[in-house]
Amino acid sequence: MVEADNKRAVFRCSVNIPNAYIRWLWNGVPVEEAKPRHISLRTRRQKLVVRISRKEKHHSHSPSKNDHFQCIAYHQGRALVSRPAKLIVGELQPFPSANDVTLSVIAGNTAVIPCVPPHGIPQVITEFTFNDTKIELSGRHQRQPSGDLQIFDAQLVDSGTYRCSAYNPLTQQCVEASYQVFLTVTNETSPIPPSFIVTPNISTSVVLGGNVTLECVAVGVPPPNITWLKKYGQLHKHSSSQIGGNLLLLAVRREDEGMYTCLASNGVGPEATWVTSLEVNEVPLIINPPESQEIEEGKSLTLKCGTKGQPKPSVSWLHDGIRVIKDQWVTLKG
């Protein structure tokens, strides 16, 4: 359980043995031996108080997403270690300064209002205004994971001034971009072959079981049709859908990994194609835990730990809750 405000967080640890001795760890290191630069730590038996100085609060040394805290309960020669807990300190930085953007799109195509959100913890949500009125995101107006706003089937009435802002759902802070986007929607009847204005990254990673959107926008006259193809496989209709030109994959499976092609065609000139790869990562999992053993004092002991995950997990060991540092008398396998 964590109680947090702008400067302080309190972790609590409780055990069902009243006289158990409790010790605290920061990143596997006993708190009394730890010397973190970005936070101060103080223990009060069943509590760990974490303080963040005003100077460090928005500094590059503020709590890392990899920082973790644990308590150890000792009783009669045995040790019980808690699961790791993490401290998340909400943050929202301002937008970097940028010049105004002027865009033009032909009616019937998809207009893309760019918005690169600033750094935030947790990840911020982009919002948009049109001529100083907040846009309700539904129907033709869709926010993308990149932060951009896509306006499907752009109409002349969509011409105007757009501005994006970033909202932090944890701190409930909101910052507005310093620049504006001026969009002009025009009519055009002369045939224009398809071309991309938004393409997915060359490679995209997603955690097994997660969702991912591959963004793809093409323009032309007439407005091009976009289809998605998977190399050496098929798109599963129950777990994939297309919104505009964007491909949404739900509950990604291992077999979803591979090469995908975004294809845009309108009968004018050659088709436009863009190829991207999807990599499916897997959270680390211990599949063969070490077995308890009894040996004579002074003899060697080898413990093995079988894991799986993608990328290959790195393995660390704890002895009575304290991280083991590999040296001349420790053999680590796993």
Side-chain angles (χ1 to χ4, degrees), residues 11-301:
F11 291 89
R12 286 187 171 89
C13 179
S14 61
V15 293
N16 58 3
I17 303 175
N19 59 344
Y21 170 65
I22 292 179
R23 196 179 191 186
W24 288 90
L25 302 177
W26 168 75
N27 293 344
V29 178
V31 163
E32 59 270 22
E33 300 174 12
K35 296 181 180 179
R37 297 174 55 189
H38 49 290
I39 52 179
S40 64
L41 305 172
R42 186 173 58 178
T43 60
R44 296 178 181 174
R45 184 168 165 73
Q46 292 185 334
K47 294 182 181 179
L48 173 66
V49 180
V50 182
R51 290 186 178 274
I52 305 163
S53 69
R54 291 179 181 270
K55 292 188 299 182
E56 301 289 1
K57 187 175 161 192
H58 299 294
H59 194 267
S60 60
H61 292 299
S62 60
S64 162
K65 65 180 181 180
N66 296 318
D67 281 353
H68 61 272
F69 304 86
Q70 293 169 279
C71 65
I72 312 174
Y74 295 96
H75 183 68
Q76 296 182 351
R78 295 177 179 268
L80 179 64
V81 185
S82 71
R83 292 182 178 181
K86 292 190 176 183
L87 172 63
I88 298 176
V89 178
E91 181 181 0
L92 178 58
Q93 295 183 359
F95 279 88
S97 59
N99 296 325
D100 291 342
V101 178
T102 300
L103 300 175
S104 178
V105 66
I106 299 171
N109 285 277
T110 297
V112 179
I113 308 300
C115 183
V116 179
H119 171 73
I121 301 175
Q123 185 173 347
V124 301
I125 299 170
T126 54
E127 298 176 337
F128 297 85
T129 60
F130 171 58
N131 293 339
D132 296 325
T133 300
K134 184 177 179 179
I135 296 175
E136 297 298 330
L137 298 173
S138 62
R140 293 194 304 118
H141 299 82
Q142 296 288 332
R143 176 180 54 223
Q144 300 303 314
S146 62
D148 293 348
L149 171 67
Q150 292 186 9
I151 306 173
F152 303 145
D153 189 21
Q155 306 296 318
L156 297 181
V157 294
D158 295 319
S159 297
T161 303
Y162 293 80
R163 190 190 293 271
C164 73
S165 58
Y167 172 72
N168 186 312
L170 177 62
T171 65
Q172 298 187 355
Q173 294 173 291
C174 186
V175 293
E176 192 174 68
S178 59
Y179 61 90
Q180 300 180 100
V181 178
F182 302 102
L183 174 66
T184 301
V185 182
T186 63
N187 280 318
E188 178 62 57
T189 57
S190 299
I192 300 175
S195 61
F196 291 117
I197 59 172
V198 173
T199 54
N201 294 328
I202 296 297
S203 179
T204 301
S205 298
V206 61
V207 175
L208 184 70
N211 303 332
V212 65
T213 299
L214 303 177
E215 299 176 32
C216 190
V217 179
V219 295
V221 178
N225 294 316
I226 290 182
T227 55
W228 281 89
L229 304 173
K230 184 178 186 297
K231 190 174 183 179
Y232 306 127
Q234 293 182 338
L235 297 174
H236 297 274
K237 62 180 181 179
H238 298 299
S239 60
S240 66
S241 61
Q242 190 171 320
I243 304 175
N246 312 296
L247 178 64
L248 173 61
L249 300 176
L250 301 173
V252 170
R253 301 165 300 174
R254 174 61 59 192
E255 53 264 37
D256 291 325
E257 190 170 69
M259 306 297 293
Y260 290 79
T261 299
C262 177
L263 188 151
S265 61
N266 65 353
V268 180
E271 298 174 332
T273 60
W274 185 270
V275 178
T276 182
S277 67
L278 181 68
E279 179 181 303
V280 179
N281 292 334
E282 189 172 353
V283 296
L285 181 66
I286 296 176
I287 53 176
N288 293 311
E291 298 179 353
S292 298
Q293 300 184 41
E294 293 185 5
I295 63 168
E296 296 181 14
E297 185 176 356
K299 290 194 174 182
S300 298
L301 169 66

